[in-house]
Amino acid sequence: MKILLAEDEVGLSKAYAQVLIMQGYEVEQVYDGKAALEAANSSTYDLMIFDVMMPKMSGFEVLKALREAGNTTYVIMLTAMSELDDKIEGLELGADEYLTKPIPLKELVARIRSLERRIDTNYNENVLTFGSVRLNVSQQELSAKNSIILAGKETKLMEVLMLNKNKKLSTEYIYNHVWSKDDDSDAGYVWIYISYLKQKLKAINANVDILGEEDREFELVEV
Amino acid sequence: MNIYGNYEKYLDMILDEFSKRVYKLNDEYKLKTGYKLFEHFISRIKTNDSMIEKCKRKGFKVNTYSALKEIKDAIGVRIVCGFVDDIYTLVSLFKDMENINVVEEKDYILNVKPNGYRSYHMILEVITPYPDCEGNESGRYYIEIQLRTIVMDSWASLEHQMKYKKNISNHERITKELKRCADELASCDLNMQTIRKLIEEG
């Protein structure tokens, strides 16, 4: 995992870098906000650590610029300010973690480990099972005796159904959890997509089925 | 009255000869590469009634000239291929055929219609040993060709079914889903094409 560390206090930067390198991470150090922004724009990182108070550009300004440009890399903010408002500002701007100095090195490492688990794509490979059915969410693959690749929305719908197996879900609930608000769609699509999935469950020879009628409640059950 | 007049008998002969030439192309290609160029060859002569109806609909006089010269699909051929590349191979083979000119070409595979329709349309002008309605001894006749993959073909027949069933309650949603389905199928079509290439390259 490659980490960008932006911390203007050379001694602190060195201490953080040393412990992170010992943990097996690759660390790139910069010492002001502008250098942090340039590094983030020209290279790719799995994680970025920004001190808030830095010369040339503050950590907040760097974070804001990156998020506005669509950079979604995980960011940990470090600050001496323990003011609640600062924490809120950092999180509102799109920081993923907010640590108050002095930061025990053990905690820093633990936080990064925790983030790493979430960033790690293998860890993220989300597989759900129910009856004979297996849904690999990241691969969009539905399988039982046979397997089939689902479209994005079908996968999302199947995921919602599997997370709520043996529960009756309303058409409205399903619509709100599968379709995003800005989509040019309506709850009428729920039945169409339920129909797709019912057909596909049959095609993979699954022992589960989705019960329910158009515009009513749906339930994923073993049959 | 038959709208094709004295020229009706030639249409069958021209289609028959063209079919033989296309089948021959397929045989030669198979001998050379081991692959078929197409899976299905479907053809028809437009019926007298539909041609009369089309002349009226398009605002042409109902006569032989309109049927054979203004309207260019009296003879129609649909060639259904296994893979997208085969379509383009056929297109270039048609362009090289003797006594045949391409007079119109529409690539709805690269320029997909808004509803998701994909197909390659061509109108060929065939120079024949038969007279035509303009008094040419070596008469010129048109053949309309539609080239598509098996996948595009089955999509098109589903879309066709919907077109003639305007009263379905879900019309707007079904239209959108059909379009999405067309795009999804196009992706599989291309994946199969790519896999075939990878297999060939070994």
Side-chain angles (χ1 to χ4, degrees):
Chain A
M1 200 163 88
K2 197 171 156 197
I3 301 173
L4 174 65
L5 174 62
E7 163 63 69
D8 62 316
E9 285 176 56
V10 178
L12 265 182
S13 177
K14 200 173 167 190
Y16 295 151
Q18 257 172 2
V19 69
L20 293 175
I21 289 165
M22 260 166 49
Q23 297 293 322
Y25 299 120
E26 192 185 331
V27 182
E28 213 173 293
Q29 291 160 272
V30 291
Y31 303 94
D32 65 66
K34 210 166 152 255
L37 185 60
E38 277 164 15
N41 281 335
S42 57
S43 195
T44 53
Y45 302 94
D46 301 296
L47 170 67
M48 301 188 283
I49 303 172
F50 297 153
D51 185 26
V52 172
M53 300 287 270
M54 284 191 290
K56 294 184 190 169
M57 266 178 106
S58 78
F60 286 152
E61 287 170 318
V62 178
L63 177 65
K64 189 163 182 275
L66 288 177
R67 292 297 188 241
E68 277 172 4
N71 187 321
T72 57
T73 307
Y74 275 81
V75 171
I76 296 180
M77 299 297 289
L78 307 178
T79 182
M81 303 181 286
S82 62
E83 298 292 320
L84 184 61
D85 284 349
D86 287 323
K87 279 194 180 177
I88 291 171
E89 186 180 354
L91 294 170
E92 292 271 320
L93 285 174
D96 297 283
E97 281 282 356
Y98 204 103
L99 302 180
T100 309
K101 288 177 178 175
I103 301 149
L105 291 176
K106 268 186 177 171
E107 188 185 353
L108 182 67
V109 170
R111 294 280 180 182
I112 292 171
R113 283 250 175 277
S114 149
L115 277 179
E116 189 183 19
R117 282 195 295 272
R118 285 204 278 147
I119 299 165
D120 188 354
T121 47
N122 293 322
Y123 186 83
N124 255 334
E125 187 149 294
N126 193 358
V127 176
L128 300 170
T129 54
F130 179 50
S132 65
V133 176
R134 189 171 175 276
L135 175 71
N136 185 323
V137 178
S138 39
Q139 301 280 340
Q140 305 195 174
E141 186 190 60
L142 185 69
S143 54
K145 197 161 179 291
N146 312 311
S147 60
I148 197 164
I149 300 296
L150 302 179
K153 287 249 159 45
E154 292 168 359
T155 308
K156 189 91 185 71
L157 173 57
M158 194 62 207
E159 187 185 8
V160 167
L161 290 167
M162 286 182 88
L163 289 172
N164 294 285
K165 59 198 168 209
N166 297 317
K167 273 196 245 171
K168 287 190 168 66
L169 304 176
S170 71
T171 291
E172 199 56 34
Y173 177 90
I174 294 172
Y175 178 69
N176 288 333
H177 284 76
V178 176
W179 278 265
S180 55
K181 301 279 176 290
D182 51 8
D183 255 358
D184 174 30
S185 62
D186 58 74
Y189 283 95
V190 172
W191 174 242
I192 296 176
Y193 278 74
I194 293 275
S195 307
Y196 289 156
L197 283 182
K198 284 173 75 83
Q199 192 77 30
K200 287 175 188 182
L201 284 168
K202 254 188 228 153
I204 60 166
N205 235 317
N207 67 350
V208 310
D209 192 14
I210 307 163
L211 304 182
E213 288 161 32
E214 186 169 1
D215 296 334
R216 306 287 284 276
E217 290 177 320
F218 297 102
E219 185 181 3
L220 185 72
V221 293
E222 270 187 86
V223 288
Chain B
M1 169 252 183
N2 188 300
I3 192 163
Y4 300 122
N6 292 330
Y7 303 94
E8 191 192 11
K9 55 180 176 287
Y10 301 129
L11 296 179
D12 279 318
M13 293 159 82
I14 292 161
L15 174 56
D16 193 50
E17 280 154 29
F18 180 73
S19 307
K20 281 184 186 142
R21 288 177 77 178
V22 176
Y23 275 108
K24 204 173 149 227
L25 281 180
N26 203 21
D27 290 342
E28 286 167 2
Y29 190 82
K30 211 169 148 189
L31 213 64
K32 210 170 68 187
T33 65
Y35 297 110
K36 286 193 255 185
L37 262 178
F38 58 84
E39 297 290 335
H40 310 291
F41 183 100
I42 306 144
S43 63
R44 61 107 183 89
I45 306 286
K46 205 180 201 83
T47 62
N48 190 42
D49 288 350
S50 339
M51 186 51 92
I52 291 171
E53 186 274 324
K54 187 161 184 179
C55 286
K56 289 178 181 161
R57 179 156 46 86
K58 297 274 175 187
F60 296 122
K61 284 183 186 154
V62 180
N63 59 28
T64 306
Y65 181 84
S66 300
L68 294 177
K69 295 293 179 179
E70 299 283 10
I71 290 170
K72 299 185 175 67
D73 70 344
I75 304 174
V77 170
R78 179 175 301 150
I79 301 174
V80 182
C81 301
F83 299 91
V84 184
D85 277 4
D86 300 339
I87 294 172
Y88 292 98
T89 305
L90 274 167
V91 168
S92 75
L93 288 173
F94 287 148
K95 288 179 179 173
D96 291 340
M97 279 171 101
E98 262 174 64
N99 294 323
I100 282 180
N101 304 314
V102 178
V103 295
E104 208 183 300
E105 229 178 328
K106 278 184 186 147
D107 185 347
Y108 294 119
I109 298 168
L110 269 184
N111 306 291
V112 180
K113 287 194 179 179
N115 66 356
Y117 179 82
R118 285 166 170 85
S119 212
Y120 199 104
H121 292 193
M122 293 176 105
I123 290 171
L124 305 182
E125 181 192 54
V126 193
I127 301 158
T128 70
Y130 316 112
D132 70 13
C133 64
E134 280 176 317
N136 299 310
E137 254 176 68
S138 294
R140 286 156 189 256
Y141 288 83
Y142 295 112
I143 301 179
E144 191 206 56
I145 302 195
Q146 295 178 353
L147 296 138
R148 49 172 82 140
T149 63
I150 297 169
V151 164
M152 295 171 192
D153 192 50
S154 67
W155 183 89
S157 66
L158 179 59
E159 202 269 342
H160 190 78
Q161 279 178 41
M162 197 197 56
K163 231 189 272 175
Y164 289 91
K165 222 178 154 195
K166 286 252 151 67
N167 56 347
I168 44 174
S169 58
N170 249 343
H171 197 274
E172 195 187 320
R173 290 189 199 111
I174 296 290
T175 306
K176 228 173 107 178
E177 285 303 298
L178 260 178
K179 159 78 168 91
R180 200 183 58 78
C181 201
D183 293 351
E184 220 173 300
L185 290 171
S187 170
C188 278
D189 239 351
L190 293 174
N191 288 353
M192 289 200 292
Q193 173 76 69
T194 307
I195 291 169
R196 184 170 81 158
K197 252 187 214 148
L198 292 172
I199 293 170
E200 276 170 24
E201 287 163 10

